[in-house]
Amino acid sequence: MAQTIFHRIVSGELPCHRVYEDDHVLAFLDIFPLSRGHTLVIPKVHAETLDRLDEEHAAAIGRVLPRISRAVLDATGARAFNVLQNNGASAHQAVFWVHFHIIPRYDDGSGLVIGWPAGKLADPEGQELAARIAERL
Ligand code: AMP
């Protein structure tokens, strides 16, 4: 298994600007922030991508994401933010240890820049695709 920079942060070998920690979760400031207060929330166990994360750690992250988001907003004065979670190199993942970005958005435009080339979902594709996904859950 390839080591990532987050292996070294979770083990304590590398320092980070920690904002939150519990038995399952660590949150710290992103070292190359898209905006002031850009925070990363990670499980304390290694999983490359979200689909490989166990439910216990996923639930632990889900439980604290709103609280950490509120703290980031309160501390920075930002009123809007994005939560971003990249999986796979082609989806812009650079560190292969699951992480959620909390990225404040400011009136000066700093924050996450999003391309959103929306299509239109039509039937029967919608029905077929929903059924295809649902039967796997
Ligand atoms: P992603 O493109 O979703 O894999 O994002 C990885 C993030 O990790 C980037 O935003 C990096 O700036 C951030 N990052 C990389 N190394 C460190 C580090 N040592 N401390 C904090 N954040 C880091």
Side-chain angles (χ1 to χ4, degrees), residues 57-79:
H57 285 84
I61 288 177
R63 199 159 44 235
V64 295
L65 262 179
R67 184 145 56 104
I68 299 171
S69 300
R70 278 195 297 277
V72 170
L73 290 178
D74 200 39
T76 60
R79 286 173 300 176

Side-chain angles (χ1 to χ4, degrees), residues 6 9 28-32 40 86 92-95 99 101:
F6 294 170
I9 288 176
F28 52 92
L29 296 181
D30 193 302
I31 204 163
F32 299 116
L40 299 175
N86 299 326
H92 211 281
Q93 186 177 11
V95 177
H99 51 281
H101 298 256

Side-chain angles (χ1 to χ4, degrees), residues 69-133:
S69 300
R70 278 195 297 277
V72 170
L73 290 178
D74 200 39
T76 60
R79 286 173 300 176
F81 67 104
N82 294 98
V83 173
L84 175 70
Q85 205 280 308
N86 299 326
N87 299 279
S90 64
H92 211 281
Q93 186 177 11
V95 177
F96 288 88
W97 180 304
V98 172
H99 51 281
F100 289 74
H101 298 256
I102 298 173
I103 309 170
R105 179 81 179 174
Y106 295 97
D107 293 342
D108 67 2
S110 62
L112 180 66
V113 177
I114 308 174
W116 198 276
K120 176 96 173 73
L121 182 64
D123 282 330
E125 191 201 356
Q127 284 171 335
E128 287 167 5
L129 191 53
R132 211 173 136 74
I133 295 169

Side-chain angles (χ1 to χ4, degrees), residues 22-66:
D22 64 29
D23 288 347
H24 296 87
V25 180
L26 177 66
F28 52 92
L29 296 181
D30 193 302
I31 204 163
F32 299 116
L34 287 184
S35 64
R36 184 166 170 270
H38 182 166
T39 299
L40 299 175
V41 183
I42 74 172
K44 283 188 169 175
V45 68
H46 181 243
E48 284 196 3
T49 50
L50 184 61
D51 51 293
R52 297 183 184 188
L53 183 62
D54 68 81
E55 292 195 357
E56 189 180 345
H57 285 84
I61 288 177
R63 199 159 44 235
V64 295
L65 262 179

